[in-house]
Amino acid sequence: MAEFQITPCPSGLTVHPIRLHPGVELKSTLMKYVKDNELVAPFIMTCCGSLTKATLRLASHTPADGNNKIVSYEEHFEICSLVGTLSGGGGHLHIVLGREDGSTVSGHVVGDLVVFTTAEVVIGECRDAVFTRPFDENTGFDELKVEKR
């Protein structure tokens, strides 16, 4: 296992509670809020609500699926969990969605998260940090970089 040095970046916190209305696309609206309010170290603290659509990248890395198994759903979901950061052009969000039978579906948020009744979201921002997402050659993805302001 590789050893890695973590540089601490303790920070104060600012909280942004918001409510998204029916028909709004959740991810793009959160990214617009971040840009419009010039947040530089934003992350999801909590979210609950409901959706009618979702496009997710599943945790599948088989040769048949390629590196990105992307699935779109059109059904009513409860948002059971939304976590991640909102830095860079698209952020990095994972979601767990509850189905009508109580089962769940989860994955990396690609988009098309269309709000059904509401999405009550609390965004936190680290006041003493800056989040960026430079490309990481080891993973092939844009990954989080945390720096002091």
Side-chain angles (χ1 to χ4, degrees):
M1 180 180 292
E3 193 171 307
F4 180 77
Q5 178 65 37
I6 297 174
T7 305
C9 188
S11 181
L13 176 67
T14 301
V15 178
H16 299 258
I18 60 176
R19 180 192 171 215
L20 304 183
H21 296 267
V24 169
E25 199 287 315
L26 191 143
K27 182 180 178 183
S28 62
T29 302
L30 294 179
M31 295 307 297
K32 181 177 184 326
Y33 181 89
V34 164
K35 182 178 179 184
D36 291 351
N37 291 277
E38 300 178 352
L39 307 184
V40 296
F43 61 95
I44 299 296
M45 295 182 73
T46 191
C47 174
C48 63
S50 59
L51 303 175
T52 58
K53 288 178 68 175
T55 299
L56 308 177
R57 186 180 75 223
L58 306 181
S60 176
H61 296 281
T62 65
D65 296 329
N67 288 331
N68 295 304
K69 183 175 183 180
I70 296 174
V71 180
S72 293
Y73 302 92
E74 288 195 35
E75 58 186 278
H76 287 233
F77 293 108
E78 290 293 322
I79 301 169
C80 299
S81 176
L82 178 67
V83 297
T85 57
L86 296 164
S87 58
H92 185 193
L93 300 173
H94 288 196
I95 196 165
V96 178
L97 300 171
R99 291 180 148 153
E100 71 174 320
D101 66 358
S103 67
T104 60
V105 61
S106 61
H108 173 92
V109 174
V110 175
D112 292 331
L113 299 180
V114 178
V115 174
F116 177 48
T117 57
T118 191
E120 300 162 1
V121 185
V122 180
I123 298 171
E125 184 183 34
C126 299
R127 288 193 304 249
D128 306 311
V130 175
F131 295 171
T132 56
R133 299 200 70 78
F135 182 77
D136 184 323
E137 292 182 12
N138 293 317
T139 66
F141 292 100
D142 295 342
E143 302 290 5
L144 181 67
K145 181 177 181 183
V146 178
E147 298 177 295
K148 291 185 180 191
R149 276 195 213 195

